[in-house]
Amino acid sequence: MEALTVFLAPRGITAGVREALTDWSGLGLIDSFIWIEPGMVSATRVNGLLVTAGNQDGVSLQSLAGTGSYDRIRLCVLVPGIAGHEQVDSSISQRIAEMLESSFGGRPVVRVRAVVARSGETAVLDGLAQGGWHNLVLSPEESAGPGLGHHQLYTTNDPFDWGVHAAATCAGVLGLWSGSTESLLDGEAPLPGERARLVRAFYRTMDTTAVGAELRDQVLSLGNGVPLPTYFGASAVYIEDSGLAARVMADQLWEKHGRSLHGEREHSAPQAVTAIGPWAAFKMMFGFLWAALKNAPRSWAQRVATRVKSETAAAVHGLVFGSAPSQYKVIVDGVDRDGLPVSWLEVREAAETLEKLLDDAGTPREHRAPADLASFWQDYADGALTLIDAGERVTALPPVQVGTQRAVLRRTSAAVPGPDSGFSDIPTPLAAVIQLDSLEPYDFLGTLSMEGRLQHAAGDPNLGIPASTALEALRRWKVVSEESYAVRVGTRIGQSLISVRSEVQQLLDQIRRAASADDMLAGVLARQKKLALWMKILLAALLLGLVVTAVLVAQETLDPLKGSGIGAGLAVVWLIATLLIFMNGQRELFHLMNARSQLLSDDEISRRNLSHALRDLHRLGGAYSQFLAWSRIIGTVLAEPFGRADDQARTQAKFVQGLPLNVKVGTATVQPAAVATAAAQLRHDIFAVGWLTRPWERAKATAGDLIGPRGYELTAHPEAIYRQSGDGELSLLRLWIGALDAAGTDSSPGQEIWAGVLKDITGPRSAISSGLVSTVSEVRDSAVVQTSLDAFMSGVDSTPDEGRLGHFDGAVLTDLARNAGRAAVERSVPFGSHSGLARQAGLIQLSGGIPQHEFLVARPADGNSWLGGAPQRASEDDTGGSFTMPEGPTF
């Protein structure tokens, strides 16, 4: 219920009330109010000061009536019971009350007249009580609590001393204190006749921000270890061999998804060895003999061996090597232009370039859909969450079991290291040389690259010492997280990329050898001339034998029949001998023909497999960039699943000086032992298996809003984030990482858990909260002291027994009234609220109705006016500019 509180006060000493209330408003101790003085009232306009959060702004009641919405309105007229001070004319107060009732939609107006009297004051007021108003006389006393001793407040002209006590009581009666939702006078009819009541008020507010922040930190923070979740009433246990658990989970993930990162391959069938038949042998032999006679045996051998041409292989190798020598060097030699070991980014870019070049070499072009790895990254995240909270998410990635109990890792970093776990111990000059300055702990390929580059730099005389030092630091750092789940998964992807790169190297080598297949003939061609010589000698021998035989037959020395037989025999011997020498001499040529045929047959498959391998290399590079991005995101969420802790909350203790004794503002003192005990009890009940599901789902659901306009597509479909690339200008993952680094994870899951904790410890388990706030720090005599909660409250948070409500100080009553027991407390009305561990409590005590003539500061009215002086006239100025700022206290 929103209420409008209006003070109407004369100028002068009442300024002390205004200043005290304004200061407390700035401290957040009281709600807003409006302050009006008679000089601010004109014939048609009522101006005032609106005090909110310590700020004073000019406002008119008419404009406020048109824009504000209030359920209840309270009007308090301050009546200083001090001689020589102005009073508010009854006509002004009556006019303002009626204007409030009519202008604010007929809302009821609680009319209060607060008479501030002090002990020993000689002034008297004409008409102390007024009909139709709640006439209250502030008891001139100061006490720490009900039923305790008090001391009188004597007459004074100090506006600050006078005002601070009056302000405290008025704030209590009017429900201005923080934690007070209503006033005890709301809905209560004023006393009949000219009667007034004594009143006193007590108020306590205890700030528990530091205690709450410490408890929240210990309950929700994972800095001191992962909580042991409960499962059917039993607690999980910690995993002792975290490396084994991480390796098994990574292996299970790879078993399910590893094949999605590799494309198809083609395999060549072994080339059948072609046997050379007799007729083919004779044809080849005579062909060679004819070439020998023409003195061209080498040309014949080359023509026979190169029936299958290698122009395609040569074109592919020439294009790859000639058009992209640097990319070729990256893939084959593994070094960049500066001679440094290449990074996986350079390998991925080189693969993309070479793949495009293959299209230009005749490989058919087609639209290639990017690999859909959404389920891979979803399962990767689920595996990390399961290692921390033992929840069942993916059948293939079950929780770790130790015996019959579920088990979790002790630290989130054993699953996925957080963003603060990176390595950056590289001097700036050295970082400029090796072109690397930092690493994430799960960046397997980046670590290999940095190690190689540091080793390379260590050989430089100018960089040897810093490079060796950095290399040693890198290796020590790597040991800390190399057994984590993220590193295991990154190693799997990185090793696959290295393996495919080696495959590309082999395929390029095969294509190179196919392109230079003609070089294989060099040795064979060198022996063709010698073989041709033997063939010529045999042919010459045959011809010589035939000539001799023919001469003998011609001379009739030899019988023609026998001569024919000898000639035929010589021809057969020559043919057999020539064939044997030819076949034996060309055995290497025949083997080379078959080998060359196999090589050139494999070349086409090698070129197609090269295209597949380059595509895999590019796919693995993209997957590795996604892996790095998802590891950063998951590591951030695991490090702070409930949002970032509010470090400023620990320094917001309020220590207020100058308060009256009946008002105390304290701060609960943090007691480490009590907080640790309470946190241990609460964590056991809060965290069940699968407790990380809510923070993770909330992180994904808010990613679109966190990213900004670019993340619009994720608002309706949060799961689309799994299909985003890991880097590049269009990557939403990179934008999400930047947003998480700047703003942290969504805190709503933590707020939900914390709200449940506060409800629990302020309800059925209130004993926990009592132990947390058992000691309070407060200002006493300009010094901060510690006291017990009971001593701080002094009974204000409980209603006194009806039989012993106590008495007011009767210094403002006549002897007759005191003897008649008019100073007795008739009612005690407590108020207050709990906001988590914080407490606001107050107590208002009232006497019964006392006739005004029984007050020392009152005398019977002899006129219609109860004022002590001449009535003030309203200003004639009707303009809106008639507002004047009230002056400060008048002494």
Side-chain angles (χ1 to χ4, degrees):
M1 181 174 66
E2 187 174 0
L4 174 65
T5 302
V6 180
F7 284 94
L8 177 59
R11 296 177 58 192
I13 198 169
T14 58
V17 177
R18 186 191 70 222
E19 297 305 316
L21 291 175
T22 301
D23 290 343
W24 297 344
S25 171
L27 293 171
L29 297 178
I30 66 169
D31 298 329
S32 61
F33 63 92
I34 294 178
W35 184 271
I36 299 175
E37 293 181 0
M40 302 177 186
V41 181
S42 67
T44 59
R45 191 178 185 89
V46 179
N47 294 318
L49 283 178
L50 174 62
V51 180
T52 303
N55 298 315
Q56 298 180 348
D57 298 305
V59 67
S60 70
L61 290 186
Q62 287 83 354
S63 64
L64 195 62
T67 58
S69 176
Y70 301 96
D71 299 306
R72 190 167 297 277
I73 302 172
R74 302 167 188 146
L75 173 62
C76 178
V77 179
L78 291 178
V79 183
I82 302 177
H85 284 272
E86 297 178 2
Q87 304 296 330
V88 176
D89 188 277
S90 61
S91 63
I92 295 179
S93 60
Q94 189 67 23
R95 177 188 166 198
I96 292 177
E98 293 173 354
M99 190 277 291
L100 289 173
E101 288 178 342
S102 62
S103 299
F104 284 83
R107 297 290 189 272
V109 176
V110 179
R111 305 183 183 190
V112 181
R113 295 181 67 253
V115 179
V116 186
R118 288 294 188 101
S119 177
E121 179 57 55
T122 59
V124 290
L125 302 174
D126 292 326
L128 179 143
Q130 185 175 357
W133 293 71
H134 294 281
N135 299 289
L136 304 177
V137 177
L138 279 55
S139 181
E141 61 181 274
E142 186 178 38
S143 174
L148 302 179
H150 69 271
H151 66 80
Q152 291 183 354
L153 298 175
Y154 291 95
T155 182
T156 179
N157 283 316
D158 184 343
F160 296 105
D161 178 59
W162 187 89
V164 72
H165 294 88
T169 303
C170 289
V173 171
L174 299 173
L176 272 179
W177 288 116
S178 175
S180 177
T181 57
E182 58 185 18
S183 166
L184 80 163
L185 301 178
D186 291 342
E188 182 175 319
L191 294 177
E194 297 177 340
R195 291 172 173 265
R197 290 180 289 186
L198 288 171
V199 63
R200 65 187 176 196
F202 305 93
Y203 180 70
R204 301 288 186 271
T205 179
M206 179 178 64
D207 179 69
T208 58
T209 305
V211 173
E214 183 65 25
L215 180 63
R216 186 185 189 279
D217 182 63
Q218 293 198 27
V219 169
L220 300 181
S221 174
L222 308 187
N224 294 328
V226 171
L228 289 174
T230 56
Y231 181 67
F232 290 116
S235 293
V237 298
Y238 285 123
I239 299 171
E240 297 300 330
D241 192 345
S242 60
L244 174 62
R247 178 175 58 80
V248 171
M249 186 67 75
D251 289 347
Q252 292 169 342
L253 177 70
W254 195 254
E255 177 67 23
K256 182 179 179 182
H257 295 286
R259 287 181 292 275
S260 64
L261 295 174
H262 292 273
E264 59 183 3
R265 294 293 187 274
E266 299 181 34
H267 301 282
S268 61
Q271 188 77 13
V273 177
T274 302
I276 299 177
W279 177 244
F282 278 119
K283 288 175 60 178
M284 291 178 65
M285 181 189 73
F286 284 110
F288 178 77
L289 182 59
W290 178 249
L293 294 175
K294 294 190 298 182
N295 204 26
R298 291 169 58 92
S299 299
W300 175 88
Q302 189 168 24
R303 185 174 61 253
V304 171
T306 57
R307 290 173 183 170
V308 181
K309 301 296 182 181
S310 59
E311 285 83 356
T312 303
V316 171
H317 184 266
L319 182 65
V320 170
F321 182 76
S323 301
S326 60
Q327 286 80 4
Y328 185 92
K329 189 174 183 181
V330 165
I331 295 293
V332 176
D333 299 332
V335 294
D336 61 12
R337 297 175 181 176
D338 299 324
L340 295 173
V342 295
S343 68
W344 65 271
L345 286 170
E346 293 171 307
V347 171
R348 183 181 67 172
E349 292 173 359
E352 184 176 4
T353 301
L354 295 181
E355 187 179 1
K356 291 179 180 178
L357 287 175
L358 286 182
D359 292 339
D360 298 333
T363 302
R365 301 186 65 174
E366 58 185 9
H367 294 289
R368 297 164 184 169
D372 186 0
L373 302 178
S375 60
F376 185 101
W377 304 123
Q378 190 166 3
D379 286 354
Y380 172 54
D382 287 342
L385 302 183
T386 296
L387 286 171
I388 300 301
D389 67 5
E392 294 185 49
R393 296 179 174 86
V394 183
T395 304
L397 306 174
V400 177
Q401 291 284 142
V402 177
T404 59
Q405 294 176 289
R406 294 190 184 185
V408 296
L409 296 172
R410 289 181 181 272
R411 303 283 178 181
T412 59
S413 58
V416 182
D420 297 331
S421 304
F423 177 79
S424 58
D425 193 12
I426 303 290
T428 302
L430 180 60
V433 173
I434 68 173
Q435 301 174 19
L436 287 173
D437 58 358
S438 63
L439 282 175
E440 299 289 359
Y442 34 75
D443 189 356
F444 168 75
L445 294 177
T447 302
L448 288 180
S449 179
M450 181 172 281
E451 281 186 312
R453 295 187 178 200
L454 286 175
Q455 289 174 347
H456 182 271
D460 188 330
N462 298 321
L463 298 173
I465 295 178
S468 299
T469 303
L471 182 60
E472 183 63 27
L474 173 64
R475 289 170 176 170
R476 289 195 304 269
W477 166 83
K478 187 174 66 171
V479 172
V480 176
S481 57
E482 64 182 355
E483 294 295 321
S484 69
Y485 167 65
V487 172
R488 295 284 187 176
V489 175
T491 301
R492 284 283 199 171
I493 301 174
Q495 288 177 340
S496 293
L497 190 146
I498 293 173
S499 176
V500 173
R501 178 188 155 203
S502 298
E503 180 186 359
V504 171
Q505 290 174 328
Q506 294 174 1
L507 290 170
L508 286 173
D509 183 63
Q510 291 177 10
I511 294 173
R512 179 189 60 77
R513 287 189 288 111
S516 59
D518 292 347
D519 296 339
M520 302 168 62
L521 296 173
V524 174
L525 295 178
R527 289 185 287 273
Q528 295 304 306
K529 187 175 182 180
K530 183 178 181 181
L531 179 61
L533 177 61
W534 279 105
M535 297 286 283
K536 289 178 181 180
I537 292 174
L538 289 175
L539 180 59
L542 171 63
L543 293 176
L544 179 62
L546 291 177
V547 169
V548 171
T549 301
V551 171
L552 292 177
V553 171
Q555 294 177 352
E556 297 182 356
T557 305
L558 183 66
D559 183 77
L561 184 59
K562 289 183 179 181
S564 298
I566 292 173
L570 289 174
V572 170
V573 171
W574 170 83
L575 184 62
I576 294 174
T578 301
L579 181 61
L580 289 176
I581 291 175
F582 174 76
M583 295 297 292
N584 185 60
Q586 299 291 27
R587 183 181 293 116
E588 185 177 359
L589 175 64
F590 299 147
H591 286 304
L592 180 62
M593 290 171 61
N594 282 306
R596 178 181 173 81
S597 178
Q598 180 70 50
L599 179 63
L600 295 178
S601 175
D602 292 345
D603 172 60
E604 183 177 354
I605 295 176
S606 296
R607 284 184 280 112
R608 291 199 295 266
N609 281 339
L610 177 61
S611 180
H612 297 321
L614 289 173
R615 194 176 311 149
D616 281 357
L617 202 57
H618 185 261
R619 180 190 298 118
L620 284 165
Y624 194 77
S625 71
Q626 288 177 301
F627 161 75
L628 293 180
W630 277 111
S631 296
R632 179 61 178 265
I633 292 168
I634 297 169
T636 300
V637 174
L638 291 182
E640 46 185 44
F642 304 114
R644 293 178 179 173
D646 186 4
D647 295 331
Q648 295 182 349
R650 305 174 187 274
T651 61
Q652 292 180 348
K654 293 179 180 178
F655 296 112
V656 183
Q657 296 183 359
L659 294 173
L661 192 59
N662 59 331
V663 176
K664 290 186 178 182
V665 176
T667 300
T669 305
V670 177
Q671 302 174 77
V675 172
T677 301
Q681 297 176 19
L682 294 169
R683 280 166 70 99
H684 181 271
D685 299 331
I686 291 173
F687 295 100
V689 294
W691 61 267
L692 270 171
T693 298
R694 171 64 175 155
W696 178 244
E697 294 299 325
R698 186 60 185 167
K700 292 189 296 182
T702 58
D705 294 334
L706 198 62
I707 290 171
R710 285 282 307 279
Y712 174 77
E713 63 184 274
L714 301 177
T715 304
H717 304 286
E719 300 301 317
I721 192 67
Y722 287 114
R723 293 182 172 85
Q724 294 297 313
S725 60
D727 54 8
E729 295 181 358
L730 300 180
S731 173
L732 295 184
L733 287 180
R734 287 297 166 190
L735 294 178
W736 191 15
I737 290 172
L740 286 174
D741 290 343
T745 55
D746 186 78
S747 61
S748 59
Q751 293 172 355
E752 294 170 3
I753 292 177
W754 183 238
V757 168
L758 293 178
K759 183 178 180 181
D760 194 24
I761 64 178
T762 56
R765 304 180 71 178
S766 58
I768 294 179
S769 62
S770 298
L772 291 170
V773 296
S774 59
T775 303
V776 184
S777 298
E778 61 171 316
V779 175
R780 188 180 300 169
D781 297 330
S782 301
V784 178
V785 298
Q786 290 187 358
T787 185
S788 66
L789 178 62
D790 290 339
F792 175 77
M793 288 296 181
S794 304
V796 172
D797 57 344
S798 60
T799 305
D801 295 338
E802 292 294 333
R804 53 184 186 89
L805 289 176
H807 291 77
F808 291 98
D809 188 289
V812 295
L813 297 177
T814 63
D815 293 340
L816 182 62
R818 287 197 297 271
N819 293 335
R822 302 292 192 189
V825 175
E826 185 178 87
R827 292 175 59 194
S828 284
V829 182
F831 65 89
S833 65
H834 284 71
S835 178
L837 294 173
R839 300 184 184 183
Q840 296 84 31
L843 185 68
I844 309 298
Q845 292 189 317
L846 298 166
S847 69
I850 304 174
Q852 66 173 352
H853 65 269
E854 294 186 356
F855 289 92
L856 294 176
V857 293
R859 64 181 173 213
D862 54 2
N864 292 330
S865 176
W866 50 268
L867 298 174
Q872 300 179 8
R873 299 182 61 186
S875 171
E876 297 296 332
D877 188 359
D878 295 338
T879 65
S882 64
F883 173 77
T884 56
M885 178 70 74
E887 298 178 0
T890 301
F891 296 89

